[in-house]
Amino acid sequence: MAILIGDTAPDFTLESTEGTIHFHDYIEGSWAVLFSHPKNFTPVCTTELGYTAKLKPEFEKRGVKVLGLSVDKLEDHGGWARDIEETQGAALNFPLLADTEGKVARLYDMIHPNVDNTLTVRSVFVIGPDKKVKLKIEYPASTGRNFDEVLRVIDSLQLTAKHQVATPVNWKDGEDVIIVPAVSNEAAKSKFPDGWKELKPYLRIVLQPRG
Ligand code: BEZ
């Protein structure tokens, strides 16, 4: 059964470059990004892992723990990590799972057999502090992901969780947001005392809340 948004992220225990990861214990109370890439020592993956390492302060600022998954062996991760540091200017600074048996990859449907029977596609799962899946994205092996977009979605998800606002098309941090339909005008008055712009009763625009 595919994992859907709103499902509890399945738990697992697996070796990583930073020791054994008990997933639910590891992410306890935090947001998390779990992402797979097809293979060590491949060009697109090398750029993705280097860029994700550079984004570590951005993930930390948002209370997000990052976890990479590879179906390659733990002993191969070290050599590749050195290549990532040399070519991308950033050392691996988050755990990389060694899912040699594809246990987690199968659990999370990261293997798409009509593409390849063993290699994972580029999956991203964003998981909330309640351990529920908030976002899933899948990219083919040949297309590097946009990790700035992953951060943008996390900003949107965290705004929704904290302030009951949604984010409109192509929204960027700092731009106006939308009061979610579940908030009545009466409730909105105390949540947004500076008011909002009502384009339609169902389309209420408000300044992005801070804090
Ligand atoms: C890459 O990471 O560059 C890659 C991996 C598998 C297939 C194609 C590209």
Side-chain angles (χ1 to χ4, degrees):
M1 268 266 287
I3 296 168
L4 304 177
I5 290 176
D7 290 355
T8 299
D11 197 14
F12 58 83
T13 297
L14 202 64
E15 290 311 309
S16 84
T17 49
E18 297 188 15
T20 308
I21 299 281
H22 303 286
F23 188 52
H24 279 192
D25 294 343
Y26 175 74
I27 65 174
E28 185 62 41
S30 299
W31 290 76
V33 171
L34 171 66
F35 73 103
S36 61
H37 58 265
K39 198 152 179 53
N40 289 8
F41 299 105
T42 50
V44 178
C45 301
T46 301
T47 62
E48 285 191 331
L49 268 72
Y51 193 75
T52 306
K54 283 184 192 160
L55 288 183
K56 182 156 189 175
E58 293 300 323
F59 285 115
E60 280 180 348
K61 211 159 74 186
R62 293 161 175 83
V64 181
K65 289 187 172 175
V66 175
L67 191 53
L69 179 143
S70 167
V71 291
D72 286 307
K73 295 200 277 293
L74 198 54
E75 46 274 34
D76 290 344
H77 287 359
W80 188 38
R82 283 190 290 281
D83 287 0
I84 292 169
E85 183 168 13
E86 182 190 324
T87 62
Q88 307 303 308
L92 208 58
N93 52 17
F94 53 87
L96 187 55
L97 296 163
D99 190 21
T100 46
E101 290 168 18
K103 187 172 101 176
V104 177
R106 280 194 300 278
L107 197 57
Y108 278 80
D109 277 323
M110 292 165 168
I111 294 173
H112 295 193
N114 288 328
V115 177
D116 191 290
N117 263 329
T118 50
L119 301 184
T120 46
V121 296
R122 298 186 193 282
S123 296
V124 183
F125 290 88
V126 174
I127 296 151
D130 57 1
K131 300 191 177 66
K132 304 273 188 213
V133 172
K134 307 292 181 187
L135 167 84
K136 53 184 270 196
I137 310 178
E138 286 163 351
Y139 272 46
S142 52
T143 306
R145 286 158 288 196
N146 184 335
F147 280 84
D148 295 330
E149 167 65 3
V150 175
L151 282 178
R152 191 190 75 91
V153 178
I154 290 169
D155 284 342
S156 171
L157 288 166
Q158 293 188 341
L159 275 172
T160 306
K162 198 161 180 193
H163 299 288
Q164 288 188 285
V165 292
T167 55
V169 60
N170 293 344
W171 171 85
K172 290 193 287 303
D173 185 33
E175 294 178 354
D176 289 351
V177 296
I178 293 168
I179 302 171
V180 299
V183 174
S184 67
N185 278 348
E186 208 43 46
K189 276 183 201 152
S190 55
K191 274 185 159 304
F192 310 104
D194 294 334
W196 61 89
K197 193 163 56 180
E198 185 170 302
L199 301 181
K200 291 283 174 193
Y202 59 84
L203 181 52
R204 296 166 296 171
I205 309 292
V206 70
L207 284 177
Q208 177 182 327
R210 292 288 172 189

